[in-house]
Amino acid sequence: MNLLFLTVLFPLIGFVILALGRNRLSENVAAVIGVGSMGLSALTAAWVGYQFLQAPPGSAYVQTLWTWMQVDNFNPKISFYLDGLSLTMLGVVTGVGFLIHVFASWYMRGEDGYGRFFSYMNLFVGSMLLLVLGDNLLLLYFGWEGVGLCSFLLIGFYYKDPANGLAARKAFVVTRVGDVFMAIGLFTLYRELGTLDIQTVLQDAPSYFAVGSSAITFATLMLLGGAVGKSAQLPLQTWLADAMAGPTPVSALIHAATMVTAGVYLIARTHVLFLLAPDIHELVGIVGAVTLVLAGFAALVQTDIKRILAYSTMSQIGYMFLALGAGAWSASIGHLMTHAFFKALLFLSAGAVIIATHHEQNIFKMGGLWKKIPLVYACFLVGGGALAAFPFVTVGFYSKDAILAQAYANDHMGLFYAGLLGAFLTSIYTFRLIFVVFHGKENGHAHEIHGIAYWLPLSVLLILSTFVGAIIVPPLNGVLPIATVVDEATKMHVELLSGGVGLIGIAIAALLYLGDRKFVTALAASGPGKLLGTLWLHAWGFDWLYDLIFVRPFMWIVRVNSGDVFDQGIGLIPRLTRFGNRLMASTENGQVRWYAATMAMGAVVVIAVMVLI
C-alpha cells in the first residue's frame, strides 16, 4: 500500500508533460501520455485496493509524505488516508476515469488542442484524487479547488465560442460561492477544535460539541453550502446544465465519476459532524429531495441530448443527498458508484450519437438510429434502464432501492415519496430520449462508427451497468454508520412499489413518444402545456431569478460607478505629485538674474526665520 501516492502522481506527471509539450506533441503521443498515465494510476489503485482488502474490515492506512507547512501549532501534512470510503472513491475515479480517457482519445481526434485537452483531463483526475485521499481538510480543499479550476478549463475548452466561455465562467463563479461557504466552515472547525486533521476532528467533535449546538450547526451548514455548490444541488444547481458546453468526455468525467460527487463524499466523510447537527442533517435530505424532483421535471422537456443527461445527473445526485439525509449512508455511496457506471455509459453513448449525426444534439432532429449504431442503442437501453432502475437486470435498481428501503425503514416518509416521484419522472424522461433518438423515422443522415477506443469503454461500462455491477459491494463496514436492518417484507414491498412506478413511467413514455406523438404535441401546444413547458425548459426560472437578484443590481452599481470614485480619489496623489514636479521644474529656466534673486530671497527667508525664532 506504500504505492498509494503513485495513483495521484501519475496523472500529475501526465499533466506536466502534456502542458509543456502542448502542440509540439503529435496526437498519438498525447493520447499515449494522457491515457497511459490514467491507466498506470488505475492499475496502481487496483493493486493498492487488493492489498487493502486483505486487511481486517474497518482498518485504515495512512501515508505521510511530508509536512506541507508549519505555522505555530498549525502543521498540515501532505498525507493520504485510505479506508473503505476513500478506496471506493479511488476505484471509481481511476477506473471510470480511465475508460473515459480511452473514449476521449477517439472522440477528440482532429480537434485543435488535443494535447491541451488531455493535460486538463489529467490535472482534473489528479485534483480529484487529492480530494478523496486527503488526510486533512486543507488538502481536501486544495483538491476541491483544483477540480473547480479544471472544470473551468474543460467546460470552456472550445474557448473561441463566447457562449462556451460564459458557461465556464458561470460554473466557476457559482461553485466559488459554495467554496467560500466551505472555507468558512473549515475556519470554524479550526477555531473550535484547533486542527483540520479529518480523523482527529471526527474523534474530538462528539466530546467538544453538544448535539445541536450553534457552533456545530453553523459549521455543518457551511460545509453543506460547499457540498451543494460542487454537487449542483439547490440553490447552486444552475451551472451544471450549461456545463454541457464542454466536450462530451468532459461531461462524462464531471457528471459521472468526479466533480459532482465531491459534495456527497464530503458529507459522508464528515458524517460524525452532521449527526451532531440534526437540523442540518435533515436539511441535507430535504435539499436532495427537492433537487431530485425539480430536476426531474426540467428534464421532461429538454431537447438537447446532453442537457437531458445533465438534469438526470442533478436528479441522481439529489438521490444521494436524500440518502445521506435519511441515514442511508452506505446506500448513498453505493448509488454514487453505480451512478458512475451507468451515467458514464450514457454520456459516452451520447457522444457517439453526436459523432454519428455530424455533431447534432437536438433529439428531435434524430430518429431511427438503432439500425445505424446498434451498440450505442444497446448501451442506451442498459444505461437508461439503470437510470430508471429497471427491475432486477440493471445495477441502478439495486442501489436505488437500497436508498428507498432505508428511507422507509428510518421513517423518512417524505423523502421516500419524493424518491418514488423522482423514479417515476426519471423513467419517463429517460425513455423519452431513447424512443425519440433511436425509434421512429430517421430525421437526419447518420453514419456508422468504428474503433476499439470507441466500443471497448462502452462495452465495459455496459456490463457494469447490468446486475453484474451490483456484485461490487463497497467495503464500507466500520467506516460509515451501520444501516438500519430492513426486513424482507418491507424490502419486497419497496421493490415492488419502486419497480412498478418505474415500469409505469416507461409505459407512459412509450405511449407518448412512440408513433406519431399527436397527443403529446397537442398537450405541449395547449395553454397549461406551454406555461409548464416554458417553466421546465428554463429549469424553473432560477437563472432568471438570480439574474434579477444578483446580476442586474451588480451591473447597475458598475454603471453608476463607471468613473470609479475610489480610483479617482487615490489618483489625486499622483496628480498632485506631477503638479509639484511641473511647478519646481519651471524654476529651472537658465537665467542668472532669476537664480541670484531666488538665492537672495532664500537668504532673507532664512534670516527672518532665525530672527523670529
Side-chain angles (χ1 to χ4, degrees):
M1 285 188 284
N2 57 356
L3 299 178
L4 179 62
F5 74 99
L6 292 178
T7 60
V8 181
L9 184 61
F10 282 131
L12 295 181
I13 291 175
F15 158 71
V16 171
I17 296 173
L18 290 167
L20 294 177
R22 282 296 179 96
N23 297 328
R24 292 185 292 274
L25 301 176
S26 67
E27 287 191 348
N28 288 336
V29 172
V32 168
I33 295 172
V35 178
S37 62
M38 270 307 306
L40 291 172
S41 179
L43 287 174
T44 306
W47 174 246
V48 169
Y50 171 77
Q51 290 182 308
F52 179 82
L53 293 176
Q54 307 306 308
S59 59
Y61 171 72
V62 180
Q63 184 177 46
T64 301
L65 301 180
W66 64 82
T67 299
W68 186 359
M69 63 184 78
Q70 189 158 359
V71 181
D72 196 17
N73 293 324
F74 183 61
N75 54 350
K77 296 177 173 56
I78 302 295
S79 180
F80 299 141
Y81 184 83
L82 187 68
D83 63 358
L85 176 58
S86 54
L87 177 62
T88 302
M89 296 296 297
L90 178 66
V92 168
V93 173
T94 58
V96 177
F98 170 68
L99 295 174
I100 294 171
H101 274 68
V102 173
F103 186 89
S105 68
W106 167 80
Y107 185 91
M108 297 298 292
R109 285 283 173 176
E111 294 281 1
D112 184 33
Y114 191 85
R116 176 169 60 89
F117 173 80
F118 277 104
S119 70
Y120 294 163
M121 292 278 278
N122 280 183
L123 181 60
F124 194 110
V125 173
S127 299
M128 188 68 191
L129 291 174
L130 279 178
L131 191 160
V132 300
L133 292 175
D135 188 34
N136 60 80
L137 289 169
L138 187 62
L139 186 58
L140 182 152
Y141 191 70
F142 186 76
W144 188 277
E145 291 300 304
V147 295
L149 170 64
C150 294
S151 69
F152 169 78
L153 296 173
L154 287 167
I155 294 168
F157 178 76
Y158 299 122
Y159 60 89
K160 294 180 181 179
D161 186 346
N164 296 338
L166 182 62
R169 290 196 299 273
K170 181 178 180 180
F172 191 78
V173 171
V174 173
T175 54
R176 288 297 76 71
V177 173
D179 295 353
V180 170
F181 287 138
M182 182 177 172
I184 294 172
L186 300 189
F187 292 149
T188 304
L189 290 174
Y190 183 76
R191 184 194 64 186
E192 298 293 331
L193 299 174
T195 181
L196 288 178
D197 180 80
I198 295 175
Q199 299 308 312
T200 304
V201 166
L202 299 185
Q203 181 180 349
D204 294 349
S207 59
Y208 185 87
F209 296 110
V211 175
S213 66
S214 58
I216 191 62
T217 299
F218 178 76
T220 51
L221 181 62
M222 294 298 101
L223 293 181
L224 176 59
V228 299
K230 207 60 103 191
S231 292
Q233 297 294 286
L234 196 75
L236 299 178
Q237 81 286 8
T238 57
W239 67 270
L240 191 65
D242 290 335
M244 295 300 97
T248 302
V250 172
S251 304
L253 191 64
I254 291 177
H255 295 175
T258 54
M259 181 169 166
V260 295
T261 60
V264 180
Y265 170 77
L266 174 68
I267 296 175
R269 173 58 74 196
T270 58
H271 65 274
V272 172
L273 304 181
F274 283 86
L275 291 175
L276 291 172
D279 292 341
I280 306 303
H281 184 207
E282 185 176 353
L283 181 60
V284 171
I286 294 172
V287 166
V290 174
T291 307
L292 161 67
V293 174
L294 294 184
F297 279 112
L300 287 175
V301 297
Q302 302 299 318
T303 58
D304 185 303
I305 187 171
K306 289 173 66 176
R307 288 182 76 91
I308 295 171
L309 295 178
Y311 282 110
S312 78
T313 296
M314 202 182 297
S315 181
Q316 295 306 302
I317 300 296
Y319 254 112
M320 299 173 205
F321 272 68
L322 182 152
L324 294 172
W329 301 95
S330 297
S332 177
I333 301 302
H335 192 57
L336 183 156
M337 180 187 71
T338 62
H339 175 262
F341 298 155
F342 63 75
K343 187 52 62 66
L345 175 64
L346 287 171
F347 266 113
L348 297 186
S349 299
V353 169
I354 292 169
I355 291 292
T357 56
H358 308 283
H359 294 277
E360 179 59 64
Q361 294 186 205
N362 189 328
I363 63 173
F364 290 103
K365 293 183 180 179
M366 304 174 189
L369 293 182
W370 72 272
K371 298 177 183 178
K372 295 283 186 177
I373 42 177
L375 173 61
V376 178
Y377 178 53
C379 290
F380 258 98
L381 283 178
V382 174
L387 178 58
F390 192 86
F392 303 112
V393 296
T394 64
V395 71
F397 170 76
Y398 297 95
S399 59
K400 195 174 289 187
D401 271 25
I403 293 174
L404 293 176
Q406 285 290 309
Y408 189 92
N410 292 336
D411 201 30
H412 290 281
M413 299 310 296
L415 301 182
F416 173 75
Y417 289 121
L420 284 181
L421 177 57
F424 176 67
L425 296 173
T426 301
S427 59
I428 294 177
Y429 68 68
T430 301
F431 279 85
R432 166 185 177 262
L433 185 157
I434 294 173
F435 294 147
V436 170
V437 170
F438 292 98
H439 292 268
K441 183 186 295 185
E442 186 175 344
N443 290 332
H445 177 70
H447 61 83
E448 297 179 1
I449 46 182
H450 306 282
I452 188 172
Y454 145 70
W455 62 259
L456 181 60
L458 294 182
S459 301
V460 173
L461 290 168
L462 185 148
I463 294 171
L464 291 175
S465 297
T466 65
F467 62 90
V468 175
I471 298 173
I472 305 173
V473 179
L476 300 174
N477 291 335
V479 180
L480 296 175
I482 299 174
T484 304
V485 177
V486 182
D487 60 82
E488 288 299 322
T490 300
K491 185 178 179 182
M492 182 65 70
H493 171 71
V494 171
E495 287 179 351
L496 290 174
L497 193 57
S498 64
V501 165
L503 292 174
I504 291 171
I506 295 173
I508 291 174
L511 289 172
L512 294 177
Y513 295 101
L514 285 177
D516 54 18
R517 308 173 197 159
K518 288 183 179 179
F519 176 75
V520 72
T521 302
L523 185 63
S526 65
K530 286 182 178 180
L531 177 63
L532 290 176
T534 302
L535 183 62
W536 295 344
L537 184 65
H538 294 89
W540 300 91
F542 277 95
D543 277 323
W544 172 84
L545 180 63
Y546 292 165
D547 181 71
L548 182 66
I549 296 176
F550 301 112
V551 178
R552 292 185 185 180
F554 176 78
M555 296 306 295
W556 179 81
I557 293 172
V558 169
R559 285 192 297 271
V560 169
N561 195 33
S562 58
D564 207 329
V565 174
F566 295 104
D567 268 3
Q568 289 185 5
I570 295 173
L572 283 174
I573 297 174
R575 284 197 291 272
L576 289 172
T577 303
R578 286 195 297 269
F579 173 76
N581 173 264
R582 287 194 298 269
L583 182 64
M584 297 304 295
S586 66
T587 64
E588 299 180 9
N589 52 24
Q591 297 179 9
V592 177
R593 286 179 296 179
W594 169 258
Y595 293 155
T598 53
M599 290 174 64
M601 290 173 59
V604 170
V605 170
V606 171
I607 294 171
V609 170
M610 293 178 64
V611 170
L612 292 174
I613 293 176

